[in-house]
Amino acid sequence: MLRSNGLRKGKCRFCRRREIATMSKGNLKIGFVGTGVMGRSMVKNLLKDGYSVAVYNRTKSSAEELFSSGAQWVDSVAELAKLSDVVITMVGYPKDVEEVYLSEEGLIANAKPGSVLIDMTTSSPLLAQRIALAGKAGGIDILDAPVSGGDVGAQSGTLVIMVGGEERAFSAVMPIFAAMGKNIILHGPAGAGQYTKMANQITIAAGMVGVCEAIAYAQKAGLDPSRVLDSIAGGAAGSWSLSNLGPRMIAGNFEPGFYVKHFIKDMNIALESAKAMGLMTPGLELARALYEQLAAEGEENSGTHALYKLYMK
């Protein structure tokens, strides 16, 4: 039995993977769903690296600045799936991921056999596994590949990319990952990328509490917090959050690189996973409680570093 691309059903995925790996950047068709704070910069880097990119977003205005850089607009997820060799998604919540991948008008139902679909949303590891199984049944490769590095990493193309899925699919799209990130690691089968991202978010959650408390402490002690930051960022207390978000806290700039509401979503996923494993996570529980308080005070669309505001009332 022949599939729509002319390849035998049994060989389709292997042949398409090999084809994707060897296609020139200009001929490879990449679809991208979700052009928010992170997605826009990721698309720009793909275009800058010479890829042909078509985009879909629920709100077209969010994607308009990409058109002058060469991105093509399509009107639906289904249409995007049909014309793309590789589709990348960067949406908001697990429910959005589920709709984009598993609905009748979603990616799996409409993608070409042998396509590679890459979810770079921070989402549920169990959902990633479900999606991978559905993809396999349809002859489609799925990778879960959440990222870390925030808006700064997205803009500079230096994102950390944590991947779960089959090694052959990972190898086939490695050049695409390289256009968006620098530290790119395959951690295991489907869901492994999401589990790794949860470890990342647990570290950030407790660490952000420490960063906020340290800067607030410096101010209350009558010190220049910027000079304190210069001292401690280069020592054992150093972290990405301290170096990149500490200065924003001090400057009163709480624009989102990553939204409070999305961080709460991530912490909920991590807590559910930890509970299922029988693991106690008191630091994570404290951080979530503080962030929920922050969101209740109207800061859900601020950056995660807005947690500092709770300390400086």
Side-chain angles (χ1 to χ4, degrees):
M1 177 181 177
L2 296 179
R3 302 299 291 262
S4 59
N5 60 358
L7 298 172
R8 291 189 181 277
K9 183 177 180 182
K11 298 182 180 179
C12 184
R13 292 175 74 195
F14 175 75
C15 294
R16 283 288 292 151
R17 277 197 206 120
R18 185 171 59 194
E19 181 183 344
I20 287 168
T22 58
M23 287 175 73
S24 67
K25 291 178 180 178
N27 291 329
L28 183 66
K29 303 298 182 184
I30 298 177
F32 203 106
V33 180
T35 55
V37 172
M38 297 287 287
R40 279 194 300 272
S41 293
M42 293 161 75
V43 171
K44 286 178 183 177
N45 284 324
L46 289 168
L47 292 166
K48 196 180 300 182
D49 206 42
Y51 287 103
S52 172
V53 186
V55 299
Y56 171 79
N57 195 68
R58 284 177 178 172
T59 307
K60 186 176 181 180
S61 59
S62 179
E64 283 179 348
E65 68 179 82
L66 298 171
F67 303 151
S68 60
S69 299
Q72 173 191 352
W73 171 260
V74 295
D75 290 321
S76 69
V77 170
E79 181 184 350
L80 190 76
K82 290 171 184 175
L83 62 83
S84 301
D85 303 300
V86 175
V87 181
I88 299 169
T89 56
M90 190 65 165
V91 296
Y93 295 89
K95 62 181 176 60
D96 302 314
V97 174
E98 186 169 12
E99 179 182 352
V100 166
Y101 279 85
L102 299 177
S103 70
E104 289 185 6
E105 295 301 312
L107 293 175
I108 291 175
N110 293 281
K112 305 172 187 177
S115 299
V116 180
L117 309 181
I118 307 169
D119 184 29
M120 303 188 82
T121 313
T122 298
S123 184
S124 161
L126 297 181
L127 177 58
Q129 292 167 357
R130 279 179 55 209
I131 290 171
L133 285 173
K136 187 175 183 179
I140 298 162
D141 285 304
I142 311 289
L143 297 172
D144 51 287
V147 303
S148 182
D151 58 332
V152 175
Q155 291 163 14
S156 62
T158 58
L159 290 168
V160 174
I161 304 177
M162 300 157 259
V163 189
E166 291 188 16
E167 187 168 0
R168 282 182 177 172
F170 173 74
S171 297
V173 299
M174 185 61 175
I176 295 172
F177 283 140
M180 299 179 286
K182 298 300 181 188
N183 184 357
I184 306 158
I185 298 175
L186 178 65
H187 289 275
Q194 297 295 352
Y195 278 121
T196 304
K197 181 59 185 290
M198 288 303 105
N200 183 84
Q201 299 305 75
I202 291 168
T203 305
I204 290 173
M208 189 72 79
V209 174
V211 170
C212 292
E213 290 182 0
I215 295 175
Y217 179 89
Q219 287 200 324
K220 294 291 186 182
L223 302 173
D224 179 342
S226 294
R227 297 190 71 178
V228 171
L229 197 61
D230 289 340
S231 288
I232 68 176
S239 70
W240 189 94
S241 294
L242 189 68
S243 297
N244 289 275
L245 299 179
R248 296 194 198 184
M249 295 177 192
I250 294 167
N253 174 9
F254 299 107
E255 288 299 308
F258 188 55
Y259 290 107
V260 165
K261 61 186 178 183
H262 290 161
F263 196 30
I264 292 172
K265 173 261 297 183
D266 294 356
M267 287 186 283
N268 285 334
I269 294 170
L271 284 165
E272 289 170 7
S273 295
K275 183 178 180 181
M277 297 172 189
L279 177 68
M280 58 180 289
T281 52
L284 181 60
E285 290 173 8
L286 171 61
R288 182 181 65 171
L290 291 171
Y291 271 102
E292 287 178 337
Q293 179 183 341
L294 184 67
E297 295 182 8
E299 298 287 349
E300 64 175 11
N301 290 314
S302 297
T304 53
H305 54 296
L307 184 65
Y308 179 65
K309 290 185 177 183
L310 292 184
Y311 293 89
M312 297 305 296
K313 291 182 179 179

